[in-house]
Amino acid sequence: MIHITRRERFSAAHKLAKDEWSDEQNMEVFGKCSNPNWHGHNYILWVTVKGEPQPSTGFVVDLSALGDVIKEKVIAKLDHKNINLDVDFMKGQMSSTENIAIAIWNQIEKPVAELGAQLHSVKLQETENNYVEYFGN
Ligand code: NI
């Protein structure tokens, strides 16, 4: 079993705030990400899949096909979008890095399996100092 990782990037706007709270309460809990007039991040996404190298190619998975899956299912929906308002798979959820990573997993788990590999992890970096990793449970 070997792991292989594809990196993609996207830029998106979001806001972490509860409508029923005051701006001050939101700032206390969510910090700068609660800014009422939105703000953006340059996200970096690492998708790791695993499997056995196929005897004929030596590859676990065709990396450009994996890149196409990530671009179609994730990047095209998030890049230069407002995560709270524009992204179908984030509707009704707080746009935390944790929730985005879980949603990305759910978007690509099946298409990755259809490529013949198994999804191992989704790692998502929101800022230089913070990233989350999700392993499917
Ligand atoms: Ni933020």
Side-chain angles (χ1 to χ4, degrees):
M1 180 78 73
I2 190 157
H3 295 68
I4 187 161
T5 300
R6 175 85 180 186
R7 185 185 75 152
E8 298 287 346
R9 290 178 283 190
F10 60 93
S11 300
H14 84 146
K15 175 169 66 176
L16 289 177
K18 292 191 174 292
D19 292 339
E20 62 271 30
W21 289 2
S22 68
D23 289 352
E24 291 72 26
Q25 277 179 299
N26 279 312
M27 178 58 86
E28 196 179 316
V29 173
F30 298 112
K32 287 195 288 186
C33 278
S34 72
N35 180 44
N37 288 331
W38 313 98
H39 65 281
H41 295 283
N42 295 317
Y43 291 90
I44 306 176
L45 169 67
W46 290 265
V47 172
T48 300
V49 305
K50 59 188 173 185
E52 298 294 341
Q54 295 161 31
S56 58
T57 60
F59 299 150
V60 170
V61 67
D62 178 338
L63 272 179
S64 75
L66 177 61
D68 288 345
V69 163
I70 299 167
K71 287 188 191 97
E72 181 196 340
K73 303 287 182 187
V74 177
I75 305 300
K77 296 185 175 199
L78 283 165
D79 192 35
H80 289 73
K81 299 286 169 47
N82 181 314
I83 298 172
N84 296 55
L85 301 179
D86 298 330
V87 181
D88 55 1
F89 61 77
M90 288 302 297
K91 283 271 150 59
Q93 298 186 68
M94 296 293 286
S95 57
S96 64
T97 317
E98 293 89 328
N99 283 346
I100 301 166
I102 292 168
I104 290 171
W105 174 286
N106 292 332
Q107 281 291 107
I108 62 173
E109 183 180 20
K110 196 167 166 223
V112 166
E114 287 165 1
L115 294 177
Q118 190 185 340
L119 186 56
H120 174 71
S121 66
V122 168
K123 174 176 161 182
L124 184 63
Q125 176 181 301
E126 187 186 71
T127 73
E128 278 183 4
N129 297 324
N130 300 298
Y131 68 80
V132 305
E133 280 182 288
Y134 184 58
F135 298 92
N137 53 45

